[in-house]
Amino acid sequence: SQQGEEDPQALSIQEGENATMNCSYKTSINNLQWYRQNSGRGLVHLILIRSNEREKHSGRLRVTLDTSKKSSSLLITASRAADTASYFCATVFTGNQFYFGTGTSLTVIP
Amino acid sequence: KAGVTQTPRYLIKTRGQQVTLSCSPISGHRSVSWYQQTPGQGLQFLFEYFSETQRNKGNFPGRFSGRQFSNSRSEMNVSTLELGDSALYLCASSFYGSGGLRGNEQFFGPGTRLTVL
């Protein structure tokens, strides 16, 4: 399968703590993207990192990409209750074909 | 700009029936992709259309089909519904550039929740 795999499957933290989730994939990618999904709703794009980039920041989000290990991590700093959602990584291959992982369910406890 | 819209939002069908779901992409977006989301299988890619042509297809049986119109609106059809087709069907649009390393983010609609009884 070309799908990414997120780890952990579920994560529960206190408000104000940092949350880290990881994504591993199997074949070379064009870029990797992270999305958030609130319960039963559509996905929202968070950040895109290209295969020739190693790190990107967007607000409280930090994404790293290690193409040698075929892995990426998403760090959410100073988490808030509103960050409670499922987070998915999407690996994008030549031809714009997207493969989503199984997701990490994040719960931020107020 | 209006976001991606999907109709209907909820649908209840019985086994053996067929269903058509509709997706209107963001204005100017020419690529529309469809996904099936279930608790057990996660997000599974169904197909992608670009300029009325199916560009990519996931590993789903022929009962799942789609099309795209000249205004980029897309429909997907599922014939002979099975219980296992119960899922959230998500549509996503993107502005497809020249490809290469640019990549494109996808903008998702709210989904259509299909229940097959």
Side-chain angles (χ1 to χ4, degrees), chain B residues 9-21:
Chain B
R9 292 292 312 278
Y10 301 91
L11 206 49
I12 300 175
K13 292 285 188 178
T14 56
R15 280 181 299 173
Q17 287 187 310
Q18 75 163 19
V19 66
T20 299
L21 311 181

Side-chain angles (χ1 to χ4, degrees), chain A residues 32-106:
Chain A
L32 186 145
Q33 303 181 25
W34 285 90
Y35 288 78
R36 183 187 74 230
Q37 183 181 35
N38 291 92
S39 182
R41 305 176 78 170
L43 280 71
V44 175
H45 180 266
L46 295 175
I47 196 165
L48 178 156
I49 186 164
R50 295 181 174 81
S51 59
N52 60 350
E53 298 175 316
R54 292 297 168 260
E55 187 171 314
K56 283 193 81 169
H57 295 256
S58 176
R60 294 184 295 113
L61 306 179
R62 172 178 169 254
V63 169
T64 61
L65 179 65
D66 186 332
T67 53
S68 66
K69 295 181 179 178
K70 292 185 171 57
S71 67
S72 173
S73 67
L74 170 68
L75 168 67
I76 304 174
T77 60
S79 62
R80 305 166 181 168
D83 294 329
T84 294
S86 291
Y87 292 81
F88 295 86
C89 71
T91 45
V92 185
F93 301 91
T94 302
N96 206 40
Q97 196 159 11
F98 282 66
Y99 287 92
F100 283 85
T102 51
T104 292
S105 176
L106 173 65

Side-chain angles (χ1 to χ4, degrees), chain A residues 3 30-31 33 35 37 40-45 48 50-52 88 92 95-102, chain B residues 31 35 37 43-45 48 55-57 88 90 94 96 100-106 108-110 113:
Chain A
Q3 283 181 313
N30 185 321
N31 67 79
Q33 303 181 25
Y35 288 78
Q37 183 181 35
R41 305 176 78 170
L43 280 71
V44 175
H45 180 266
L48 178 156
R50 295 181 174 81
S51 59
N52 60 350
F88 295 86
V92 185
N96 206 40
Q97 196 159 11
F98 282 66
Y99 287 92
F100 283 85
T102 51
Chain B
S31 170
Y35 297 86
Q37 186 176 29
L43 266 161
Q44 302 282 316
F45 171 74
E48 181 206 1
R55 184 190 294 269
N56 292 302
K57 188 177 189 304
L88 180 67
L90 293 164
S94 67
Y96 190 80
L101 288 176
R102 285 183 57 193
N104 284 285
E105 65 179 282
Q106 294 198 327
F108 281 81
R113 172 77 60 186

